[in-house]
Amino acid sequence: MEMADSFVPTAGVVGIFPLVTYFFLVVAAYLFLSSFIFALTTRTNVQPNQVQNFSPSLAIIISAVSGLSYYLIQGYYHDMLAELVTVTNESDRQTLIRESYNAIGQYRYMAWAVTLPLALTQVIFSVKIKPDTKQRPLIIIVAASFFMILTGYIGHQQLSFDNEILIGPKLIWGVFSMVGYAVILLTLSRLRKLVVQQPSEQSPYRLLPFILSGFGVIYPIGYILSVTNIDSNWLHIAYTIADIYTQIGLGLLVCFASMKPVDNKL
């Protein structure tokens, strides 16, 4: 079998850790594709005349955008592994991995600029509170999330001509980004206070703000760690797991909670 024109990475030539990172990236693309198909095929099973009908549609968009993003990310990471094979010096290998992370990471921010506002919108639509109390937190949370991602993206691209991270400027933009993050947490906290006032059987989504805000800590921590000498593969894996948890987990929970009740009558 002729495979001269194809490159399939193996641990023997690229190392076990980069290969495990590649594994996570490809699996994430598969999972988001599966989530897209699931959300699409179960869309008609949501309860009628409910505002939650918006949530499955948002889950479809989130899965599609994330799936496309991870398809691009794993593709470029695959190309980096093909180049990594030609590098023998360990220091040069780490430099290549770090520089590729700074380039590939752009696609995460571009996807987050779409998926994060939609995921937070999904939360607002899902919780059962008075409709007139949703408009203000919705506007605030969407604007804050986009601001956070945009400033984080600018910070991520604070690089010298040789692609080395400019630590000072990156941390400054990280502070700007954290302002948006703080606004999101504050809005979710206030939203939760409204939600928990509802009967428990009417509030299946009341824990969603904590799911997003609690696990979302990984993202700013990863941003800070990126200015250290940490192996960038750790960041790839951490962000990938966080994306799967927050986006697919949230989408599945909303889809299940919005489905029509099963008729147990025989």
Side-chain angles (χ1 to χ4, degrees):
M1 180 178 179
E2 180 61 46
M3 297 185 62
D5 297 328
S6 301
F7 173 71
V8 179
T10 60
V13 293
V14 302
I16 188 63
F17 197 22
L19 192 65
V20 169
T21 303
Y22 181 63
F23 170 87
F24 272 93
L25 296 177
V26 174
V27 169
Y30 290 157
L31 286 174
F32 281 115
L33 174 61
S34 302
S35 177
F36 170 78
I37 296 173
F38 175 83
L40 189 65
T41 55
T42 59
R43 184 181 179 186
T44 58
N45 293 331
V46 298
Q47 301 180 49
N49 301 321
Q50 298 287 334
V51 71
Q52 289 96 322
N53 287 354
F54 288 106
S55 295
S57 298
L58 294 177
I60 293 172
I61 299 173
I62 291 171
S63 297
V65 172
S66 296
L68 177 59
S69 173
Y70 271 93
Y71 174 78
L72 294 173
I73 289 173
Q74 67 82 27
Y76 283 107
Y77 192 86
H78 175 275
D79 293 341
M80 186 277 294
L81 292 180
E83 185 176 351
L84 191 65
V85 175
T86 65
V87 180
T88 57
N89 182 274
E90 182 60 29
S91 177
D92 292 340
R93 289 168 68 91
Q94 286 300 317
T95 299
L96 176 61
I97 292 173
R98 182 176 64 255
E99 292 180 351
S100 69
Y101 168 80
N102 293 329
I104 295 173
Q106 297 182 76
Y107 289 100
R108 293 189 188 276
Y109 282 91
M110 293 171 185
W112 290 339
V114 178
T115 59
L116 180 59
L118 290 183
L120 295 171
T121 299
Q122 199 175 26
V123 173
I124 303 294
F125 280 156
S126 297
V127 294
K128 292 187 176 181
I129 57 178
K130 294 180 180 180
D132 58 354
T133 63
K134 293 184 178 182
Q135 183 175 2
R136 179 179 173 82
L138 178 61
I139 294 174
I140 292 175
I141 214 166
V142 168
S145 60
F146 186 81
F147 172 83
M148 182 184 72
I149 298 303
L150 178 60
T151 52
Y153 173 76
I154 296 175
H156 181 78
Q157 287 302 301
Q158 295 302 303
L159 305 170
S160 64
F161 184 75
D162 57 354
N163 277 325
E164 290 298 323
I165 296 175
L166 302 175
I167 298 177
K170 180 167 186 174
L171 292 178
I172 291 175
W173 280 102
V175 172
F176 292 147
S177 182
M178 288 301 294
V179 173
Y181 185 67
V183 172
I184 292 173
L185 293 184
L186 181 61
T187 305
L188 290 175
S189 177
R190 291 176 177 175
L191 179 65
R192 181 179 180 275
K193 292 179 180 179
L194 295 175
V195 173
V196 297
Q197 295 173 2
Q198 307 297 321
S200 58
E201 64 273 15
Q202 295 180 4
S203 306
Y205 307 96
R206 59 183 179 174
L207 295 179
L208 290 185
F210 276 150
I211 293 175
L212 286 175
S213 61
F215 207 83
V217 172
I218 286 180
Y219 298 108
I221 289 178
Y223 184 94
I224 295 173
L225 289 177
S226 66
V227 304
T228 68
N229 292 326
I230 188 174
D231 190 326
S232 299
N233 285 311
W234 284 113
L235 302 180
H236 275 304
I237 293 175
Y239 283 150
T240 301
I241 294 175
D243 284 342
I244 292 172
Y245 181 92
T246 56
Q247 296 175 24
I248 294 182
L250 176 62
L252 289 176
L253 181 58
V254 169
C255 284
F256 281 125
S258 302
M259 285 183 179
K260 300 174 184 179
V262 178
D263 188 357
N264 293 324
K265 296 181 179 180
L266 297 177

